[in-house]
Amino acid sequence: MDDAVSLLSKLTVSETEHQQEKTIAQLIKLVCELNEDEDESENDAVQEKIFHHDAMDLVLRVLQSKETEEKESLLISCAQLIAELAKVESLREPLVNKGFMPPLTQLLPSKNIALATQVCRALGNICYDNDLGRMAVDKEKGMQGIIEVLSQQINNKEEGSARLRVIVCGFLLNLTNDCEPLQERAIECNILKPLDECINCHLDDEDLTNMALLTVGSLTELESGKLSATQCGLLDTFKKLLERDWKEHPVDVILDLIATLMESECAKDRAAENGLCQVLANIVNSDLENASDIKAVSDIFISVLTGDNSMEKIYASGEGPLFVQSMDWLSAEKEHLQTLGALAIGNFARRDAFCIQLVEKGVVDKLLTILKGTIGQQDSFMLQHAVLSSLRNLAISATNKPHLLSAGVLDTCLSLIHTEHMAVVFKLLGVLRMLIEGQEAAAIKLGQERTFLECLTDWCGQAHAGVKGEATRVMASLVKNSRSAMVVQNLVRAEGLGHLVAMATSEHLVMQNEAVMALTIVCSTALGEAAVALKEADLVDTVSALLKDPNLPPEMLCNVLSLLKAVLSAENLCDEIGTSGVADIVRSLSEGHADQKVKDMATSTLTLLDQSISPS
């Protein structure tokens, strides 16, 4: 503390700029030593004492001086002193309030590298986690100053220019990080363009690359930043960085940035055009061992394929090199490559025409070979999930269903029903539902697999919402596509009908309608076997609740009334209907509903109701 006071006192009485500069240099040395000391509280107190000394008024006056060229050396020292003091968190706001921001910001575009360096350091340190400092820089139009400095230094080869480039990027990061208004301002000023140029011109400068990438990461948190980054060519730059020697660059940071940009369709299209996906494929084919990097590369590749245009460009009528590579991955020895290949094929299969072509190219046999190899291997669930995702998409096409069934997809899927992973079960059910749609024989066959039906009933009661919903849809699909009394009887034995009744009150209208249609078929084909189970599942209360629902569309109301007609054949349910008040609800629909089809259906249903529940 005594050394600091002595130097400050000496500074206030210094008569020449040379003496002032010499004293400030000693102060800087002292402050630097304090910053490196582990006793932060005591050191901060010393620096606060320095800040509040009258000598700081002299430092401020020097920075405010208009005679900058004559005082450049002294200005450098003053700016450096502020930069060191600003490392103390408690001094950042006071430095702003004392008025240091305007003169520092005005000095920002200086062509003197040493001065620009220290000014950027001072401003960057003040702005670190300090919104007051950030707003002060913005008020003084500091963003334009940053762009000017960066643009001046992009191609500069003078001594100190490399360090200045890094420091300018660091200043920009501190200015914008987690600060949306300043991020927006930077993007409006098109700051990403000079950042991109800076990286491109100095690809071998690891410090600059790291800092610039972190800064880009801050700016691309906003949607406008993602768009600007794509438009200014940063995806091409990321490709160059990964091409040079991805092991020597911060690959995780680059991959995170690319993944962020892939949230936009524009970026996906660019990645499909500029060869970035091929670079990613080369990386994943290499000896990359880091599991998180492998996943990141794979996720980006698949993200590109989720875009309709980008997927079509990569598919290239089934001749694209990356499509061919995806097919080859299915035969790879490494599981992560097989998984990537399966996920890629699933995305190519989103388009109906491609879906059919893929089956013609023999992809089903490749997928089944992989799937059969994972049976009983619980740790291969990610691969199973990927393969099943592809098979589900391939099974959507009506043209493909017979081919998949004849290839043995249904039987192979049944061999996986005892898996412990609900994510795999979800995809498995999706494949089966798509396979039996419109395929009566397949639905009847599946409806006779009693072990599967028992599992299906268990899944209908799962806490996993996706599995529960998909399982009930498979059950409804079994009834609809088989229209078999035997299948209904098997579902009764498996105690599954209660889940169909519960499905009729789903929050999803599509699932409600599927359940109502399936229950109508149940009542039409095997009501005698199903009546007790339907009564125990409170079917009549469910029908009553649906008919009362004011939000139910007319088409759905007609389907519920059809179900009610089918139920009336069961004596035990007919008695319950007679005491439930359903007749009054139907009468109200026949008299007052706005849709004529509903009124007509309600009228005919009411006639049947009166005949069925009237005493003989």
Side-chain angles (χ1 to χ4, degrees):
M1 178 72 81
D2 292 342
D3 290 344
V5 172
S6 174
L7 287 170
L8 290 164
S9 300
K10 185 177 179 181
L11 180 59
T12 56
V13 297
S14 297
E15 296 181 356
T16 67
E17 290 179 10
H18 177 71
Q19 290 175 326
Q20 292 171 346
E21 187 179 337
K22 186 176 178 181
T23 304
I24 291 174
Q26 292 174 300
L27 269 173
I28 290 169
K29 182 180 178 183
L30 175 63
V31 172
C32 288
E33 290 172 353
L34 291 170
N35 285 334
E36 292 173 2
D37 200 302
E38 294 182 0
D39 190 351
E40 289 186 14
S41 58
E42 183 177 338
N43 296 333
D44 288 357
V46 174
Q47 296 192 62
E48 287 176 9
K49 186 77 173 178
I50 293 171
F51 172 76
H52 291 292
H53 195 278
D54 292 343
M56 292 304 294
D57 293 333
L58 184 148
V59 174
L60 180 58
R61 287 196 301 273
V62 171
L63 292 171
Q64 291 171 330
S65 171
K66 304 297 181 185
E67 301 172 358
T68 54
E69 290 186 11
E70 295 81 357
K71 296 185 176 183
E72 276 187 340
S73 183
L74 181 57
L75 285 169
I76 293 167
S77 296
C78 289
Q80 186 178 356
L81 177 60
I82 301 302
E84 303 305 333
L85 289 172
K87 290 181 180 178
V88 178
E89 183 179 358
S90 61
L91 290 181
R92 289 170 196 153
E93 288 193 1
L95 282 164
V96 178
N97 293 329
K98 194 171 180 67
F100 279 98
M101 302 308 277
L104 284 170
T105 308
Q106 288 165 17
L107 290 168
L108 192 54
S110 173
K111 293 183 180 177
N112 182 305
I113 289 177
L115 180 56
T117 298
Q118 296 306 328
V119 167
C120 284
R121 287 187 65 237
L123 289 169
N125 289 346
I126 292 172
C127 289
Y128 181 76
D129 202 19
N130 176 18
D131 285 342
L132 186 67
R134 291 165 174 166
M135 293 306 115
V137 169
D138 189 41
K139 183 180 178 181
E140 299 298 324
K141 301 191 182 330
M143 196 66 70
Q144 288 83 347
I146 291 174
I147 293 173
E148 190 173 338
V149 175
L150 198 55
S151 299
Q152 286 174 0
Q153 301 303 325
I154 286 176
N155 296 305
N156 196 347
K157 297 181 180 179
E158 292 180 49
E159 185 178 352
S161 60
R163 180 175 180 235
L164 176 53
R165 285 189 287 267
V166 176
I167 289 171
V168 174
C169 291
F171 171 27
L172 182 58
L173 176 62
N174 285 356
L175 184 65
T176 61
N177 195 36
D178 293 328
C179 182
E180 189 170 327
L182 270 298
Q183 290 171 337
E184 286 283 11
R185 178 80 72 244
I187 293 160
E188 288 169 6
C189 293
N190 202 25
I191 190 69
L192 284 166
K193 185 63 178 174
L195 274 174
D196 178 52
E197 291 175 8
C198 206
I199 298 172
N200 264 298
C201 290
H202 304 281
L203 291 168
D204 292 323
D205 189 333
E206 190 172 338
D207 290 339
L208 176 61
T209 299
N210 291 349
M211 188 59 72
L213 290 175
L214 290 172
T215 308
V216 170
S218 168
L219 298 176
T220 51
E221 289 175 0
L222 304 186
E223 289 304 314
S224 55
K226 295 180 180 68
L227 180 60
S228 179
T230 303
Q231 291 175 337
C232 79
L234 270 163
L235 276 175
D236 298 336
T237 303
F238 296 155
K239 172 179 168 265
K240 287 180 184 177
L241 287 171
L242 293 176
E243 275 180 322
R244 289 172 65 80
D245 187 349
W246 52 267
K247 292 181 180 178
E248 298 301 322
H249 288 292
V251 66
D252 54 338
V253 176
I254 299 170
L255 295 175
D256 283 346
L257 285 171
I258 296 173
T260 297
L261 296 187
M262 287 306 119
E263 294 172 17
S264 80
E265 294 301 310
C266 178
K268 292 174 186 176
D269 290 347
R270 183 61 192 152
E273 294 168 351
N274 74 346
L276 174 60
C277 287
Q278 186 60 62
V279 174
L280 295 172
N282 294 342
I283 292 175
V284 86
N285 280 331
S286 70
D287 57 353
L288 185 63
E289 295 180 358
N290 186 305
S292 62
D293 287 345
I294 291 172
K295 185 178 186 309
V297 172
S298 301
D299 287 349
I300 292 168
F301 186 80
I302 297 304
S303 183
V304 175
L305 292 180
T306 61
D308 290 337
N309 292 333
S310 50
M311 180 269 285
E312 186 170 353
K313 288 173 184 174
I314 291 175
Y315 187 71
S317 301
E319 302 296 330
L322 286 169
F323 165 70
V324 174
Q325 174 70 87
S326 299
M327 291 285 281
D328 289 343
W329 280 330
L330 296 178
S331 304
E333 293 183 3
K334 295 180 180 178
E335 191 168 295
H336 72 269
L337 291 178
Q338 293 179 334
T339 302
L340 179 55
L343 289 171
I345 296 302
N347 277 282
F348 290 125
R350 293 198 330 271
R351 188 160 300 178
D352 204 49
F354 298 173
C355 190
I356 295 169
Q357 290 172 10
L358 284 165
V359 172
E360 292 172 350
K361 288 176 178 290
V363 75
V364 176
D365 289 338
K366 289 175 177 281
L367 291 170
L368 286 181
T369 298
I370 295 172
L371 203 55
K372 289 173 183 176
T374 67
I375 294 171
Q377 298 180 14
Q378 294 294 337
D379 59 345
S380 294
F381 68 94
M382 290 182 67
L383 178 56
Q384 292 173 343
H385 186 275
V387 172
L388 290 168
S389 295
S390 291
L391 288 171
R392 179 196 177 280
N393 287 356
L394 292 169
I396 292 173
S397 167
T399 304
N400 283 351
K401 295 180 197 294
H403 295 289
L404 268 67
L405 287 167
S406 63
V409 172
L410 192 150
D411 292 331
T412 304
C413 285
L414 287 175
S415 65
L416 295 172
I417 61 174
H418 297 298
T419 180
E420 299 174 0
H421 298 283
M422 288 299 103
V424 173
V425 172
F426 177 72
K427 290 297 180 182
L428 176 69
L429 290 168
V431 177
L432 294 174
R433 184 164 65 84
M434 290 298 107
L435 269 181
I436 64 174
E437 184 63 36
Q439 303 294 312
E440 182 181 353
I444 291 173
K445 177 182 178 180
L446 188 59
Q448 294 179 72
E449 295 286 343
R450 297 196 176 181
T451 303
F452 167 72
L453 294 180
E454 289 170 2
C455 290
L456 187 63
T457 300
D458 289 341
W459 292 329
C460 286
Q462 269 287 330
H464 188 293
V467 169
K468 180 177 181 178
E470 196 64 45
T472 52
R473 294 191 77 184
V474 169
M475 191 173 289
S477 187
L478 276 172
V479 173
K480 182 185 96 171
N481 289 291
S482 71
R483 293 185 176 269
S484 163
M486 180 175 56
V487 170
V488 173
Q489 290 166 7
N490 289 339
L491 287 173
V492 171
R493 293 190 191 98
E495 301 181 352
L497 292 191
H499 296 294
L500 272 183
V501 175
M503 180 185 174
T505 57
S506 166
E507 61 184 15
H508 303 292
L509 190 62
V510 171
M511 290 179 63
Q512 278 187 307
N513 202 41
E514 287 175 359
V516 168
M517 298 293 286
L519 288 167
T520 303
I521 295 170
V522 167
C523 294
S524 302
T525 57
L527 184 56
E529 293 85 351
V532 173
L534 293 173
K535 180 178 174 62
E536 290 174 350
D538 296 324
L539 176 62
V540 173
D541 288 345
T542 299
V543 169
S544 178
L546 288 170
L547 292 174
K548 289 178 185 177
D549 186 349
N551 298 316
L552 217 60
E555 297 81 2
M556 180 74 175
L557 270 175
C558 289
N559 290 340
V560 176
L561 289 167
S562 293
L563 171 58
L564 180 55
K565 283 183 176 182
V567 170
L568 287 171
S569 301
E571 186 176 340
N572 61 340
L573 293 172
C574 192
D575 292 341
E576 189 176 345
I577 290 169
T579 59
S580 67
V582 167
D584 293 334
I585 302 170
V586 175
R587 183 173 289 106
S588 175
L589 291 172
S590 70
E591 295 172 352
H593 200 277
D595 188 276
Q596 188 59 46
K597 288 184 179 179
V598 173
K599 291 176 73 173
D600 292 343
M601 177 66 87
T603 300
S604 63
T605 305
L606 188 61
T607 300
L608 189 58
L609 269 169
D610 289 340
Q611 293 172 356
S612 301
I613 64 179
S614 296
S616 54

